[in-house]
Amino acid sequence: MLLGRRNADHRCNTVYVVTKPVSRITRACIAWAIGLGLAVTAACGHDSHPPRNAGPPTGVPSTSAKPHATSVAKPLPPVVPEGDFTAVSQLVNSDIAAHRLPGAVVQVGHDGNIVFRQAFGSRKLDGEPAPDGPASPAEAMTPDTIFDVASLSKPLATAPAVLQLYEQDRIALDAPVQTYFPDFNRGNDPLRAQVTVRMLLTHTSGIGGDLSHEGPWGLTTPDRADGIRRALSARLEFPPGQGFHYSDVGFIILGALVEKISGEPLDVYVQDHIFAPLGLTDTRYLPALKSCGPRRIVGNTVHYDRSASLTDCTDGWWDSDLIPRIAPTAHDDDTPGVNPDYGRLIRGTVHDPTARRMGGVAGSAGVFSTAPDLGTYAQALLDRLAGRPSSFPLKQSTAELMTTPQQPASVTHGSRGFGWDIDTAYSKPRGTVFPVGSFGHVGFTGVSMWMDPGSNTYVIVLANVNHVPGGPPIVTLSGNVATAAARALHLYGS
């Protein structure tokens, strides 16, 4: 069999050959090692792109993604240019010049091809700390930069995980939450008894938007159990099923539900059942306590440190050599005087304070990804919805539940699918050309995805706007980029 071992310089892999019989788990490791070898070969100049729709059937976990994530970057999928995207470049460069964001990566797909992809500006500002040292010059943005995708974690990971378990008849969408979590309604409140899984998935449960950060929980040591306890006890701020009120807490509960029903940690479940079947090699949660290589952990945050003692990598862990490719976000401003990481630049750890306090893995936030990986995800979802061959790990009828209105009938304003936004105040990344019925989502760090089944088009804008103090939300730029991209492709008569 083939096994990879981390070398002393933390970057290379040595391959050994063993001929004795192997177990099922070891066979999974073999498949990964072979895949890694192909990635290394391609990186050395042999361009190899697997078929876009290759992959196991829906819901079948990959057998090749168990070992640790390494810093080896895969070749970028090719761009097949179509249309004039000058206006897109001007929009992004104008915002960079106005110091609204340090840089961005934009990728547009149409009719199964990537028609535009460009990296703009910087991923780290001049004078900010280098990954493993003092202040350093700006770093150029690259197309394979890894971003903290913040709330995109909800539709990318948590919602499809819930729906896979729904397909297996292990979760009922209209079941009360207290059916699965009696602690959700310990006081037998008749209003809390009305809250269903459907309401959590469509942000119509009435649960508050975020957990209180008062107190020192999860700062000196991550405390996932306390975060889930706090989510289950979060108060209702609105009557259930009466309106759309965006809630991180609802998706934290959904992440806990995936763990309870599947018997697996959320990060492990989505890696094996969502990301790996799609072939996403740069998409994953990055929990600090599952990092390896040259790093040290300060409170709930991981820091790249070449002088630190090398931490061995094991199955399911991630290599801290990824950190230089990750776009930094903001300086940690959570609870001065208690938080040992206070004031440090966050890079390689989720920015969202609640997810960070929970160890980097929550149903609401924590996933990191790249524009090429998200393009693969978007195209697979569009293909599944259209009935074309696809590796998207849900049935077509189930994928439609994610992308068509699913809010309770009593909610008359705003349209949400299970995970994806359709027509609410959060829909600005749709722009002015794509119609209602297209869908997408945004993330606080400065990221957005928007997909249009009618034209088989997606628009991805990834930026780290909160790396700039006072940086504005990404939605205005994302909407303008979507409009310019649709016009470049002459969609809908534009």
Side-chain angles (χ1 to χ4, degrees):
M1 67 178 179
L2 297 174
L3 292 176
R5 188 182 70 182
R6 212 172 190 285
N7 281 350
D9 67 356
H10 319 317
R11 290 182 297 274
C12 302
N13 288 279
T14 305
V15 176
Y16 299 87
V17 178
V18 182
T19 58
K20 64 181 181 181
V22 297
S23 68
R24 176 176 59 84
I25 294 175
T26 304
R27 285 196 299 272
C29 294
I30 294 172
W32 165 80
I34 292 171
L36 180 58
L38 290 174
V40 173
T41 300
C44 293
H46 301 281
D47 192 11
S48 175
H49 301 289
R52 172 167 55 83
N53 293 319
T58 173
V60 177
S62 167
T63 59
S64 61
K66 272 291 186 185
H68 72 273
T70 72
S71 57
V72 178
K74 65 181 180 181
L76 295 176
V79 175
V80 181
E82 178 182 346
D84 181 0
F85 283 82
T86 302
V88 169
S89 298
Q90 290 173 340
L91 286 166
V92 179
N93 284 325
S94 176
D95 270 20
I96 293 171
H99 304 292
R100 298 188 183 101
L101 67 162
V105 180
V106 177
Q107 181 167 309
V108 180
H110 178 61
D111 277 344
N113 293 317
I114 301 168
V115 295
F116 178 80
R117 181 177 59 231
Q118 187 169 339
F120 301 86
S122 304
R123 68 179 166 211
K124 185 191 76 69
L125 293 172
D126 182 42
E128 290 285 4
D132 61 345
S136 65
E139 299 170 13
M141 187 69 77
T142 60
D144 64 350
T145 293
I146 299 170
F147 290 85
D148 173 354
V149 299
S151 284
L152 277 177
S153 306
K154 297 177 176 73
L156 291 174
T158 309
V162 170
L163 290 173
Q164 282 187 343
L165 297 171
Y166 157 76
E167 286 186 339
Q168 299 166 22
D169 294 324
R170 300 169 71 185
I171 289 178
L173 297 175
D174 290 305
V177 173
Q178 68 182 33
T179 301
Y180 303 104
F181 294 110
D183 283 352
F184 180 74
N185 193 12
R186 298 181 70 178
N188 295 317
D189 182 341
L191 284 179
R192 293 182 79 85
Q194 297 174 26
V195 177
T196 64
V197 174
R198 176 182 299 273
M199 293 176 187
L200 297 183
L201 284 164
T202 56
H203 298 279
T204 57
S205 68
I207 298 175
D210 197 4
L211 294 178
S212 170
H213 297 145
E214 295 179 3
W217 76 275
L219 286 170
T220 56
T221 302
D223 195 338
R224 180 169 180 75
D226 195 19
I228 293 172
R229 180 191 63 78
R230 289 168 181 262
L232 291 173
S233 61
R235 69 186 183 93
L236 298 184
E237 296 185 1
F238 307 95
Q242 298 302 307
F244 168 74
H245 303 283
Y246 190 87
S247 174
D248 281 349
V249 178
F251 267 78
I252 291 172
I253 295 172
L254 288 170
L257 179 60
V258 170
E259 294 186 329
K260 181 171 185 177
I261 300 302
S262 71
E264 299 181 62
L266 179 63
D267 58 316
V268 174
Y269 182 91
V270 300
Q271 198 68 37
D272 289 351
H273 297 268
I274 309 293
F275 301 151
L278 287 165
L280 308 183
T281 59
D282 286 329
T283 303
R284 61 184 297 116
Y285 283 97
L286 298 180
L289 296 180
K290 289 186 180 178
S291 60
C292 56
R295 94 305 185 253
R296 52 194 175 82
I297 295 175
V298 180
N300 56 28
T301 306
V302 64
H303 291 276
Y304 190 63
D305 187 349
R306 288 186 178 275
S307 66
S309 298
L310 181 65
T311 303
D312 290 338
C313 294
T314 189
D315 289 2
W317 288 38
W318 63 278
D319 195 325
S320 59
D321 272 337
L322 283 174
I323 291 176
R325 193 152 60 96
I326 297 174
T329 51
H331 287 262
D332 192 341
D333 62 357
D334 190 358
T335 317
V338 178
N339 179 8
D341 190 60
Y342 183 81
R344 295 173 184 263
L345 184 65
I346 300 172
R347 187 171 191 173
T349 301
V350 61
H351 171 265
D352 179 81
T354 300
R356 197 161 70 243
R357 289 176 176 222
M358 292 177 65
V361 179
S364 56
V367 172
F368 287 70
S369 191
T370 63
D373 264 14
L374 294 184
T376 298
Y377 190 109
Q379 190 61 60
L381 176 52
L382 290 170
D383 288 342
R384 177 66 81 212
L385 291 169
R388 296 184 288 265
S390 174
S391 58
F392 195 78
L394 289 174
K395 300 174 184 176
Q396 181 178 357
S397 59
T398 311
E400 289 171 352
L401 298 178
M402 296 190 72
T403 59
T404 56
Q406 298 298 323
Q407 67 275 6
S410 54
V411 177
T412 57
H413 296 286
S415 294
R416 295 284 301 202
F418 288 151
W420 293 107
D421 180 77
I422 299 170
D423 189 26
T424 71
Y426 293 83
S427 303
K428 289 181 180 179
R430 181 175 62 224
T432 60
V433 175
F434 291 118
V436 174
S438 57
F439 57 91
H441 212 282
V442 299
F444 179 82
T445 50
V447 296
S448 71
M449 295 176 66
W450 204 265
M451 289 154 277
D452 177 40
S455 63
N456 192 15
T457 304
Y458 66 79
V459 179
I460 294 167
V461 180
L462 301 183
N464 50 338
V465 295
N466 63 343
H467 187 46
V468 176
I474 195 67
V475 292
T476 299
L477 175 61
S478 294
N480 291 338
V481 167
T483 298
R487 288 173 176 167
L489 295 169
H490 306 291
L491 302 179
Y492 300 105
S494 62

